[in-house]
Amino acid sequence: MSEIRLFVTTTEKQAEAVLDRLSEVFGEEDFAIGTTEVDEKRDVWEASIYMMAVDEESVNERLTNALAEDFAHLPIEREVLPDIDWIAKSLEGLAPVRAGRFVVHGSHDRDKVKTGEIAIEIDAGQAFGTGHHGTTAGCLEVIATVARTRTVRNVLDLGTGSGVLAIAAWKLMHVPVLATDIDPIATRVAEENARVNGVVTGMTFATAPGFHSTAFSTNGPFDLIIANILARPLMKMAPQLVANLAPGGSVILSGILAEQRWKVLAHYNGQHLRHVRTIWRNGWVTIHLEK
């Protein structure tokens, strides 16, 4: 089945604004969204949403409505994508990513791991999270900080994707880790990646679309919750997330555009969490809070 890209062409500033609107409308669903620079000198950018052909009609209608108020002057364009594993292709040859003691690498770069580094092997695949995105690297940095400064007895990686953050937490702290995702494919990929990295005990994987899953009550409350998702669902789930956080626990939030940070912080400050630190990477932020 063909994959479709619907997109608008505009300036960098407007592309970011369109991305914000797409995050509001599609942020809790499985459609990939993003911006791409087309021509730096002419300030030409594209803001896109990707879907399978079967979803195109409904997504197109919702996209049109979402852009009607402020972006009606931007025509919606369409591209049919070839049947290629674009994730794997785009990551071919990428160098290892280092964040603190962590190094995230593909199987072809095992020999580049240095003495004393905590290696996490993640090859390009169906689930997001290879360490090359600023949000993942930011989370790795804060995980290392929490491990140095707090006592952590158990961890929740919410929206685990490839499992890279859950694996990092286990390798650094050797405590029980629950890794959940709304996508069963991501859950399976994360479990496979854990095995590749030699993690055979101490990690639990669950497909959980919401906090009503028994996986949370069985394994929680948690001393550390990592949620690298998107701003809108992070804000919506704030009360439930904090309810699953142990007293004195830490929260790492990411998948947040820099301009969205104040809204996210407001929701978690409202749940009586204290802001510790914000890390900025390539237009994205990672926020560390404590209970």
Side-chain angles (χ1 to χ4, degrees):
M1 184 181 295
S2 297
E3 186 176 11
I4 307 297
R5 179 173 77 103
L6 299 179
F7 64 98
V8 296
T9 303
T10 182
T11 63
E12 179 180 8
K13 184 176 180 179
Q14 278 211 328
E16 291 177 355
V18 171
L19 183 63
D20 282 346
R21 184 64 53 84
L22 296 184
S23 296
E24 292 172 3
V25 176
F26 300 99
E28 298 181 35
E29 303 175 54
D30 293 334
F31 301 113
I33 58 176
T35 58
T36 306
E37 184 180 48
V38 178
D39 189 321
E40 180 180 4
K41 291 183 178 179
R42 295 171 53 222
D43 190 24
V44 178
W45 285 67
E46 292 174 350
S48 308
I49 179 167
Y50 298 79
M51 75 230 65
M52 302 309 293
V54 68
D55 297 313
E56 181 181 3
E57 184 176 353
S58 63
V59 171
N60 198 347
E61 181 178 354
R62 293 170 63 194
L63 178 61
T64 301
N65 292 336
L67 301 182
E69 183 176 350
D70 298 316
F71 309 103
H73 61 289
L74 300 176
I76 297 174
E77 302 176 71
R78 176 180 186 269
E79 179 185 14
V80 179
L81 301 176
D83 187 17
I84 296 174
D85 186 346
W86 287 107
I87 298 176
K89 189 173 182 62
S90 66
L91 294 174
E92 286 175 357
L94 282 181
V97 170
R98 289 178 166 84
R101 290 180 59 200
F102 295 111
V103 55
V104 184
H105 64 89
S107 56
H108 57 288
D109 278 329
R110 290 172 185 163
D111 60 339
K112 295 182 181 178
V113 178
K114 301 175 183 177
T115 303
E117 289 184 323
I118 299 174
I120 306 168
E121 183 175 312
I122 305 287
D123 279 322
Q126 293 174 290
F128 175 82
T130 62
H132 292 86
H133 197 277
T135 61
T136 309
C139 286
L140 290 171
E141 187 173 334
V142 181
I143 289 170
T145 298
V146 171
R148 287 196 307 268
T149 59
R150 312 285 289 189
T151 298
V152 177
R153 291 172 290 270
N154 61 349
V155 177
L156 167 62
D157 180 19
L158 191 68
T160 193
S162 68
V164 60
L165 300 178
I167 295 166
W170 187 90
K171 283 199 167 192
L172 184 61
M173 294 178 273
H174 295 286
V175 297
V177 178
L178 171 64
T180 70
D181 204 285
I182 63 172
D183 183 356
I185 294 177
T187 308
R188 175 177 55 78
V189 169
E191 191 166 5
E192 291 173 357
N193 284 334
R195 284 197 294 269
V196 167
N197 282 273
V199 184
V200 294
T201 61
M203 289 185 66
T204 303
F205 300 87
T207 301
F211 276 102
H212 59 271
S213 170
T214 58
F216 300 104
S217 58
T218 301
N219 294 276
F222 303 92
D223 292 315
L224 172 60
I225 297 179
I226 309 160
N228 183 9
I229 311 177
L230 288 171
R232 188 182 181 196
L234 285 175
M235 290 186 284
K236 183 178 180 181
M237 68 175 59
Q240 294 171 301
L241 189 151
V242 175
N244 283 272
L245 184 65
S250 297
V251 174
I252 301 171
L253 306 176
S254 201
I256 306 163
L257 291 166
E259 58 268 25
Q260 298 171 326
R261 68 193 185 282
W262 297 117
K263 292 181 181 179
V264 176
L265 275 171
H267 279 72
Y268 284 85
N269 287 337
Q271 298 299 317
H272 309 293
L273 293 193
R274 179 178 68 88
H275 176 234
V276 178
R277 182 187 181 196
T278 296
I279 292 178
W280 302 61
R281 285 178 181 264
N282 303 322
W284 298 83
V285 298
T286 300
I287 301 172
H288 177 198
L289 306 112
E290 292 179 349
K291 191 171 185 178

